[in-house]
Amino acid sequence: MGKCLPERLDRTFHALADATRRAMVERLVLGPASVSQLAEPFDFALPTIVKHLRVLEDAGIIASHKAGRVRTYQLAVDAMAGATEWIARQRMPHERALDRLGGLLAENDAE
Amino acid sequence: MGKCLPERLDRTFHALADATRRAMVERLVLGPASVSQLAEPFDFALPTIVKHLRVLEDAGIIASHKAGRVRTYQLAVDAMAGATEWIARQRMPHERALDRLGGLLAENDAE
C-alpha cells in the first residue's frame, strides 16, 4: 500500500496545491495528452510546464509513456486514492454517528 | 463559495502536504484540544507547533478560540469540503459511465 505512506501523501497533496497542476489534472481526466496539448492553455515556457508535469508524475497522479518522439501523459489509475481515503477518514464523531444511523435505517428498510 | 476559490484550494492542499499537520487534524477529529495537548506527541518546540497550527487555520481546516489564557483548537465545519469536492470531480469518463449505469440499475430496481 505504497499510496498510503506519509511521504506519498505529502507528494500528492503538494502536487495538488497549485492551480496550474490542478488544471492539468482536469485536462487529463478528459483523456491522454501530449506536453504541447497540456501547455496550450497556459502562458508558461515549456520547461515550466514540464516541471509541473514532473511534480504530478512523482506524486503518482499522472503517468507518461514515450512513443517515438512524443511523450503522452495520462491520469494514473487510482491517481488520488490515498488522498481521498485520508480525507474520508477525518470525519467527526457526529458525522460517523449519522453514518451509522443511516446504515441502521437502511437495514430496517430492507427487512 | 469561498471554499472553492483556487487560492483556498491551494492553501488546503498545501496544509495537508505535511505529516505533522495531518497528525494534528487526526487528533482534532477526536475533539477540541489546547496547543499543549496538540504539541504532546511531537518533539518540536512550541513555536514550530504554533506555526503548523497557523497554516491549518489559514487554510480554514481548523478554528480556534481563546478562553482566558488558553487557546483551544477544533476542526472547522466542512474543514476539507472544497478539497473533497475538487477530487471527486476528477473522475475518468469510464468511472462516470459506471456511476450512470449504477444509477440506471437502481432506478430499474425501484420500479
Side-chain angles (χ1 to χ4, degrees), chain A:
Chain A
M1 292 287 284
K3 68 177 184 240
C4 291
L5 286 173
E7 299 76 23
R8 172 71 189 266
L9 275 179
D10 284 7
R11 281 201 299 274
T12 303
F13 285 126
H14 168 69
L16 298 179
D18 180 279
T20 302
R21 290 195 290 267
R22 287 197 303 276
M24 288 169 161
V25 171
E26 288 168 2
R27 166 60 189 82
L28 290 174
V29 166
L30 306 175
S34 65
V35 178
S36 50
Q37 287 173 319
L38 286 163
E40 216 202 275
F42 305 107
D43 267 337
F44 301 129
L46 214 60
T48 306
I49 298 292
V50 170
K51 207 173 146 187
H52 279 310
L53 290 169
R54 197 170 303 138
V55 173
L56 287 166
E57 196 163 9
D58 287 348
I61 296 174
I62 67 173
S64 74
H65 66 274
K66 210 167 176 175
R69 293 177 58 187
V70 178
R71 179 171 292 279
T72 304
Y73 288 85
Q74 63 189 81
L75 212 62
V77 176
D78 285 339
M80 292 167 287
T84 309
E85 283 161 22
W86 185 86
I87 290 181
R89 279 202 307 274
Q90 313 316 317
R91 288 174 311 133
M92 301 223 255
H94 74 266
E95 293 175 295
R96 282 196 288 262
L98 282 175
D99 286 350
R100 278 196 300 275
L101 182 62
L104 286 172
L105 291 174
E107 276 175 37
N108 216 31
D109 273 356
E111 273 166 21

Side-chain angles (χ1 to χ4, degrees), chain B residues 37-49:
Chain B
Q37 288 172 319
L38 286 164
E40 215 202 274
F42 304 107
D43 268 337
F44 302 128
L46 215 59
T48 307
I49 298 291

